[in-house]
Amino acid sequence: MLSLINEILNISDFNYVLISLIISIATYVVGYVFMAIAIWVMAKRLNINKGRWMAFVPFLNWYLLGKVIGSAVVWGKKIDNVGLWLMLLSIAQTVITILLSIGSYLLIASILFDVSFVFSSPFLQNWVMGTGLLYEILSFVSLGVDIAFIFFEVSVIFLVFRLYAPESALLFSLLSLFLDPPLFGILLFVVRNRERKSFKQYYNVYNPYANYNNGQNGNPFQSPNQNKPQNNDVDPFPEFSSGKDNSSAKSDDSDEIFS
């Protein structure tokens, strides 16, 4: 046993990095496969036959997940396919990241292969050093794309769990965001065969005050004689409400997020 521990402790830094990289890639692949299968099953259950193969293709799987979610109201705006926006932002984020990283790759290549082609061009030199107007503009655009991507990623993850696991939507969403994609793929796979539910309907049914006062919706601190007309459109996030009437921008199941 001691010899095994010593062997583990004597692993070189290179082997440690290599093992960590292999574990990270394997974890990512497992989570991605679970997510792809879950999206494919969800699309099949909704009779989405055209383009179901997109569940297994990077970027396009977000578009298909958006079709599974359907129309949604996000911050008071109706979006027919929130996954489409997430797909476009994901592609833009990847392209920008690659472009910004080219300078680092060129610098590493010049060191490893002892070549000076990187600094033979003023443009490449500015790109490697992270200077130049074009690099600064791209960096600024990257910040905006990253913020938009996070917003739509949070929306998509929360929306899908509100439909298929409303009782655990917040918990599943937080876990998915912190451990994406492995845990998101696994959790999505767990709920793939569940029936869709409207979050508002779920809220009304399981509202702890729903059956108070002999089956009438009410407040336990309110007198039974002080009945008031009930509003069935429960806003789960009233602190984000703009106070405007969004009745013209309802989703198919009258469900909203951050409305």
Side-chain angles (χ1 to χ4, degrees):
M1 183 66 181
L2 293 176
S3 61
L4 177 61
I5 295 176
N6 290 330
E7 290 180 5
I8 295 175
L9 294 177
N10 290 330
I11 294 177
S12 65
D13 292 339
F14 176 78
N15 290 335
Y16 178 78
V17 172
L18 182 61
I19 293 174
S20 300
L21 181 62
I22 293 175
I23 294 176
S24 299
I25 294 176
T27 303
Y28 179 90
V29 171
V30 169
Y32 184 87
V33 170
F34 273 108
M35 181 179 69
I37 295 174
I39 296 175
W40 190 88
V41 171
M42 289 176 172
K44 181 179 180 181
R45 288 173 55 86
L46 293 175
N47 295 322
I48 302 176
N49 299 318
K50 186 177 180 180
R52 204 160 59 224
W53 53 268
M54 290 188 291
F56 299 93
V57 181
F59 305 117
L60 295 181
N61 52 5
W62 288 123
Y63 173 79
L64 184 60
L65 185 58
K67 293 185 66 176
V68 169
I69 294 172
S71 298
V73 178
V74 183
W75 293 102
K77 302 294 184 180
K78 183 178 179 181
I79 301 179
D80 292 330
N81 190 337
V82 68
L84 172 62
W85 290 97
L86 183 58
M87 179 194 73
L88 295 176
L89 288 168
S90 180
I91 294 175
Q93 185 185 54
T94 302
V95 171
I96 292 175
T97 301
I98 293 175
L99 291 176
L100 292 177
S101 301
I102 285 178
S104 300
Y105 299 150
L106 291 176
L107 181 60
I108 293 174
S110 66
I111 295 174
L112 292 177
F113 300 103
D114 193 22
V115 293
S116 59
F117 69 89
V118 171
F119 299 101
S120 61
S121 168
F123 176 80
L124 290 179
Q125 182 178 358
N126 290 334
W127 199 267
V128 170
M129 303 304 295
T131 58
L133 180 60
L134 180 60
Y135 189 95
E136 293 180 358
I137 292 176
L138 199 59
S139 300
F140 181 78
V141 172
S142 175
L143 177 61
V145 171
D146 289 342
I147 294 175
F149 174 82
I150 293 174
F151 167 76
F152 277 97
E153 183 184 30
V154 171
S155 300
V156 166
I157 291 176
F158 195 35
L159 279 168
V160 71
F161 284 130
R162 275 173 50 131
L163 285 173
Y164 289 91
E167 69 284 355
S168 306
L170 182 58
L171 176 62
F172 283 8
S173 299
L174 291 176
L175 292 175
S176 298
L177 290 170
F178 283 113
L179 297 172
D180 179 34
L183 195 53
F184 173 58
I186 293 174
L187 292 175
L188 199 64
F189 184 83
V190 169
V191 303
R192 71 192 185 284
N193 288 318
R194 294 187 182 182
E195 297 295 331
R196 294 163 61 98
K197 299 178 183 177
S198 168
F199 185 82
K200 289 186 176 181
Q201 293 176 0
Y202 169 82
Y203 185 91
N204 288 334
V205 171
Y206 292 96
N207 181 4
Y209 303 143
N211 296 322
Y212 196 80
N213 293 335
N214 296 326
Q216 296 180 353
N217 290 340
N219 190 324
F221 302 103
Q222 177 183 349
S223 172
N225 296 327
Q226 296 177 346
N227 294 328
K228 297 180 180 180
Q230 298 298 319
N231 181 12
N232 293 326
D233 293 333
V234 179
D235 186 356
F237 300 101
E239 62 272 21
F240 294 108
S241 178
S242 62
K244 298 180 181 180
D245 183 11
N246 294 324
S247 59
S248 60
K250 296 294 183 182
S251 60
D252 293 340
D253 57 0
S254 300
D255 206 1
E256 300 180 13
I257 178 174
F258 307 131
S259 54

